[in-house]
Amino acid sequence: MKTEGNAVIRARQVGKSVVGPEGELKILDAVELSVNAGESVAIVGASGSGKTTLLGLLAGLDLPTRGEITLAGARLDRLDEEARATLRAEQVGFVFQSFHLLPALTAEENVALPLELNGGVDAARVDEVLALVGLTARRRHYPRQLSGGEQQRVALARAFVTRPRILFADEPTGNLDQSTGRQISDLLFQLNREHGTTLVLVTHDLALARRCDHVYRLDGGRLREEAAA
Ligand SMILES: Nc1ncnc2c1ncn2[C@@H]1O[C@H](COP(=O)(O)OP(=O)(O)O)[C@@H](O)[C@H]1O
Ligand SMILES: [Mg+2]
């Protein structure tokens, strides 16, 4: 249930435009969103509707052209790049649509990296998250030696190894078969239930979207909440 003032993510009148060969392209227009701590939110919409762009803005990876975003109590536009990076490292996990694994690092090295950047690798924690995503036997494999679904699971393990308060995931089941997709969804909601991790998921997977507390649709640059099914 919505309680005012408990928002861990707040977007007000957020717009994003880019300048392309055809002139200005308005990707997002006056987006309003409020996500409370511990909630799960799905963002759906057609390909090219701006879902990845919005997720990047909410996570502080990029800045909007208009409007303001508050993430974990901080106004993102008032932070410089370094402060935003620190906020992300401490509070946020992000699963990219294209994984963004480092090709020269093994699965376990990719997973350990955020801990290293935060000042200390906890080997037991790395073992634990690799087991959670079912990749213990693949831990010494490099990304190119893994299937798309396995790379996606490495990316997910890397995103939650630091126990972030907020987990953003861009089509986290997009490259998985139904059964593996279900396992990954179960894992996301287990984090949500047991650790109160706030989930913001971009997805085409209706089964995954329906498990979320709120479903929003992006259309024509605007975000609207879908009526409950
Ligand atoms: N940096 C950019 N420069 C130019 N166009 C962009 C840029 N980022 C995104 N776009 C365009 O904005 C639209 C929305 O992109 P995206 O957020 O990736 O959509 P979705 O994730 O919903 O498929 C697309 O038409 C895309 O080509
Ligand atoms: Mg996308």
Side-chain angles (χ1 to χ4, degrees):
M1 283 293 104
K2 277 243 151 95
T3 47
E4 217 40 67
N6 197 21
V8 64
I9 304 168
R10 184 88 175 83
R12 290 172 208 263
Q13 296 296 303
V14 165
K16 180 72 177 176
S17 299
V18 293
V19 179
E22 320 280 300
E24 186 180 282
L25 170 70
K26 198 184 258 186
I27 304 174
L28 299 172
D29 184 23
V31 166
E32 292 280 332
L33 177 67
S34 180
V35 182
N36 288 334
E39 277 187 328
S40 55
V41 162
I43 298 170
V44 302
S47 173
S49 60
K51 304 181 298 296
T52 295
T53 302
L54 178 58
L55 210 62
L57 294 176
L58 296 176
L61 292 165
D62 191 12
L63 289 173
T65 322
R66 286 174 302 280
E68 52 184 68
I69 296 171
T70 305
L71 177 67
R75 274 277 300 271
L76 293 178
D77 55 308
R78 293 187 181 149
L79 304 180
D80 61 16
E81 197 145 334
E82 196 185 324
R84 278 190 284 130
T86 303
L87 179 71
R88 283 198 306 272
E90 290 174 355
Q91 310 276 354
V92 168
F94 201 101
V95 184
F96 295 91
Q97 196 167 4
S98 49
F99 320 135
H100 288 200
L101 298 176
L102 295 179
L105 300 185
T106 62
E108 67 182 349
E109 289 166 349
N110 268 284
V111 171
L113 193 60
L115 295 174
E116 224 164 281
L117 296 175
N118 279 4
V121 174
D122 172 353
R125 176 67 182 159
V126 174
D127 290 349
E128 182 185 20
V129 299
L130 283 168
L132 270 174
V133 298
L135 285 176
T136 302
R138 295 277 184 278
R139 58 188 306 153
R140 310 233 196 277
H141 286 58
Y142 290 91
R144 68 184 145 75
Q145 301 170 318
L146 297 169
S147 73
E150 288 167 339
Q151 291 179 46
Q152 191 149 41
R153 286 185 278 153
V154 176
L156 189 63
R158 182 183 58 182
F160 69 73
V161 70
T162 56
R163 299 187 173 87
R165 269 175 82 189
I166 312 162
L167 186 62
F168 295 93
D170 199 349
E171 305 196 17
T173 60
N175 291 276
L176 306 178
D177 59 77
Q178 207 176 359
S179 139
T180 313
R182 175 76 199 188
Q183 283 171 32
I184 290 296
S185 307
D186 287 349
L187 197 58
L188 289 169
F189 286 97
Q190 188 187 333
L191 294 170
N192 175 253
R193 253 190 339 268
E194 293 176 5
H195 303 283
T197 310
T198 304
L199 300 179
V200 184
L201 313 173
V202 163
T203 189
H204 288 294
D205 179 347
L206 287 182
L208 175 54
R210 282 200 201 96
R211 293 176 76 174
C212 292
D213 297 323
H214 301 278
V215 179
Y216 294 90
R217 179 171 297 274
L218 259 182
D219 185 21
R222 297 292 184 119
L223 190 70
R224 288 184 195 80
E225 183 159 5
E226 301 258 276

